[in-house]
Amino acid sequence: MVISQRAALVADAAIGILAGRGMRGLTHRAVDEAAGLPAGSTSNHARTRAALLELALVRLAQLEEAALSAVLSGAPAGEPPVAPSEPPVVPPVVPSGAAVAPSGRSESLAGLAGLAGMLARATHAALTEHRRSTIARYELALEAARRPELRKVYDEMGRRFREPAAALLAAAGSPDPVRHGRQLVAYAEGLLFDAVVGAGETPSLEDLHTAFREFLQPFLPSSG
């Protein structure tokens, strides 16, 4: 789904509201105000609440690629405007390409250290500079559990996460990359959820790197 620049502005404001105020705070009027648009502008792009939620979810999927590119390159990601005092965040995704371990050393994603390093950086970013967007994604996930039409969009986002995870594990030598990819996604989501709404403590980049290495080791016994 391709969205216009104005629709993206609306979606970015909606994401910020979800992060800062929760689902109850998301109204067309609130989005208009947060985006600095004339009254009724949001309705032109998303007439119903369901359409507004879908637009926000599609926009989050688009932002995944930009955030991930920044994680791999080490450059700051371009952030969309959102409601005041509500910096945007995006969920982490698993890419193809090279990664950098916490030491700053370039690693091949075919190796355990490189894969663990990339996952650690993506997860740490989701818990720090992109924390609020992670919260917004949880809001949308719960809503998707109650709305079949939104569930389809959310499931597609999940597929875009699981398939690259399986591909990366296959390249790294996993004997069962599809199953291991699902387990990796579940593990990463568990770390995020626990840090955001569970223990409330953000693990360091080094701790995350160690955690992912230990988790991946049984899948990739010959990796170093």
Side-chain angles (χ1 to χ4, degrees):
M1 178 180 178
V2 178
I3 60 178
S4 67
Q5 184 175 358
R6 180 60 67 89
L9 178 62
V10 168
D12 292 338
I15 291 168
I17 290 171
L18 285 170
R21 309 177 202 170
M23 194 62 64
R24 289 185 178 182
L26 185 67
T27 65
H28 284 68
R29 181 176 180 179
V31 173
D32 285 338
E33 293 175 352
L37 296 173
S41 296
T42 297
S43 295
N44 292 333
H45 298 282
R47 188 163 298 278
T48 66
R49 181 177 179 81
L52 181 58
L53 292 172
E54 181 174 346
L55 179 63
L57 195 52
V58 169
R59 178 59 172 162
L60 276 175
Q62 290 183 342
L63 292 174
E64 285 182 347
E65 296 180 3
L68 183 42
S69 176
V71 167
L72 292 178
S73 68
E79 301 287 7
V82 293
S85 302
E86 295 171 1
V89 279
V90 286
V93 294
V94 178
S96 59
V100 178
S103 64
R105 180 177 70 257
S106 293
E107 305 263 5
S108 167
L109 285 183
L112 174 60
L115 183 55
M118 183 278 294
L119 291 167
R121 292 182 65 213
T123 303
H124 193 262
L127 291 173
T128 54
E129 63 261 36
H130 302 319
R131 188 181 187 92
R132 283 185 176 268
S133 185
T134 302
I135 296 172
R137 182 162 63 92
Y138 290 151
E139 290 281 350
L140 288 166
L142 289 173
E143 192 69 11
R146 308 180 187 99
R147 293 177 179 264
E149 69 282 2
L150 194 63
R151 180 83 258 169
K152 293 180 181 179
V153 181
Y154 196 87
D155 286 347
E156 173 62 19
M157 286 183 64
R159 183 187 65 79
R160 291 175 58 185
F161 184 24
R162 288 187 295 272
E163 289 183 356
L168 286 175
L169 286 169
S174 166
D176 193 349
V178 174
R179 180 168 62 87
H180 291 162
R182 292 195 187 108
Q183 292 175 357
L184 172 59
V185 171
Y187 181 69
E189 288 286 4
L191 288 174
L192 285 171
F193 191 85
D194 181 66
V196 173
V197 301
E201 299 178 358
T202 300
S204 68
L205 186 60
E206 290 74 17
D207 286 342
L208 288 169
H209 186 255
T210 299
F212 279 113
R213 279 187 68 108
E214 292 175 346
F215 179 79
L216 291 168
Q217 183 66 57
F219 302 162
L220 314 171
S222 62
S223 298

